[in-house]
Amino acid sequence: MAAPEGGGLGEDARLDQETAQWLRWDKNFLTLEAVKRLIAEGNKEELGKCFGARMEFGTAGLRAAMGPGISRMNDLTIIQTTQGFCRYLEKQFSDLKQKGIVISFDARAHPSSGGSSRRFARLAATTFVSQGIPVYLFSDITPTPFVVEALKALEWRLRPLLCLKNFLAQPSRRWNEKALRKLLTFLIRKCVLEF
């Protein structure tokens, strides 16, 4: 588990702070109720897993189990990550608001938390649109080769273009700053960014 981020707060105080913030911000009934249930049960061990450390980009993108908390893939962490990614892209591409972004998704889902690649793709699309960035969102499960063909077909109009693909639910891998920069540079050159 990562060291407490709360500037000297003890682990219990940091966990209380993280869960209180979560309860204010999370709008997904399923993940919100899951956290409330863990708090009511006094299940610090599971709360520690959900709120131990914020997800980080791994060698193949943003990966973690779906579920409640900052350590997991869920509505709130997808929206927050997309907002940060949007700020990054705006700094990198002055014409992002003219060219837009392509988003696709796969079939992964976690019914008990309400999470799915489809839902996460829609949340990401909504986040980009709310910032004035056009979004080309596939309407159904899309294999990566279809995304590549769409990028080729739209290239004349959308270049440089980034594609958010597959908000994946797999065990998390840690990233350091150098690895993140290296992957982003590679993926931006390829005009495809997969989550």
Side-chain angles (χ1 to χ4, degrees):
M1 188 176 294
E5 297 172 3
L9 290 176
E11 187 61 27
D12 284 349
R14 188 197 65 77
L15 188 57
D16 290 345
Q17 186 178 44
E18 290 283 354
T19 56
Q21 187 175 58
W22 182 267
L23 294 174
R24 285 192 307 273
W25 290 354
D26 189 15
K27 303 302 179 202
N28 179 315
F29 177 79
L30 294 172
T31 52
L32 183 63
E33 289 302 311
V35 172
K36 286 180 180 177
R37 186 176 58 255
L38 292 172
I39 292 169
E41 294 169 355
N43 191 339
K44 297 267 187 193
E45 182 179 345
E46 189 60 30
L47 283 168
K49 291 177 184 176
C50 294
F51 294 94
R54 185 165 284 280
M55 283 184 302
E56 296 180 8
F57 278 87
T59 53
L62 188 64
R63 296 181 184 262
M66 289 185 199
I70 62 172
S71 300
R72 310 272 171 87
M73 303 284 287
N74 54 65
D75 292 3
L76 185 56
T77 57
I78 292 303
I79 291 168
Q80 290 173 333
T81 300
T82 305
Q83 287 171 336
F85 187 52
C86 183
R87 296 291 82 75
Y88 173 81
L89 293 177
E90 287 173 332
K91 290 178 184 174
Q92 300 301 311
F93 302 101
S94 60
D95 57 354
L96 181 66
K97 289 187 177 183
Q98 289 76 44
K99 295 190 176 181
I101 190 161
V102 172
I103 302 176
S104 68
F105 55 91
D106 63 18
R108 289 171 240 228
H110 187 255
S112 66
S113 71
S116 70
S117 290
R118 179 186 303 265
R119 179 177 179 89
F120 296 160
R122 288 178 177 166
L123 287 169
T126 301
T127 303
F128 278 109
V129 168
S130 76
Q131 300 302 307
I133 298 169
V135 172
Y136 300 86
L137 175 64
F138 279 85
S139 61
D140 206 353
I141 295 166
T142 309
T144 300
F146 284 47
V147 176
V148 173
E149 290 305 311
L151 292 172
K152 288 177 186 176
L154 294 171
E155 183 174 17
W156 62 271
R157 182 166 174 232
L158 301 176
R159 193 170 191 177
L161 174 78
L162 298 177
C163 171
L164 294 178
K165 171 79 169 99
N166 302 341
F167 287 100
L168 302 175
Q170 294 182 2
S172 178
R173 293 182 181 175
R174 296 258 174 209
W175 273 63
N176 60 38
E177 188 67 26
K178 182 179 176 185
L180 177 59
R181 277 195 314 271
K182 184 176 176 183
L183 179 67
L184 284 174
T185 301
F186 169 77
L187 292 173
I188 287 169
R189 272 196 229 125
K190 293 291 187 183
C191 298
V192 175
L193 182 58
E194 294 187 355
F195 271 80

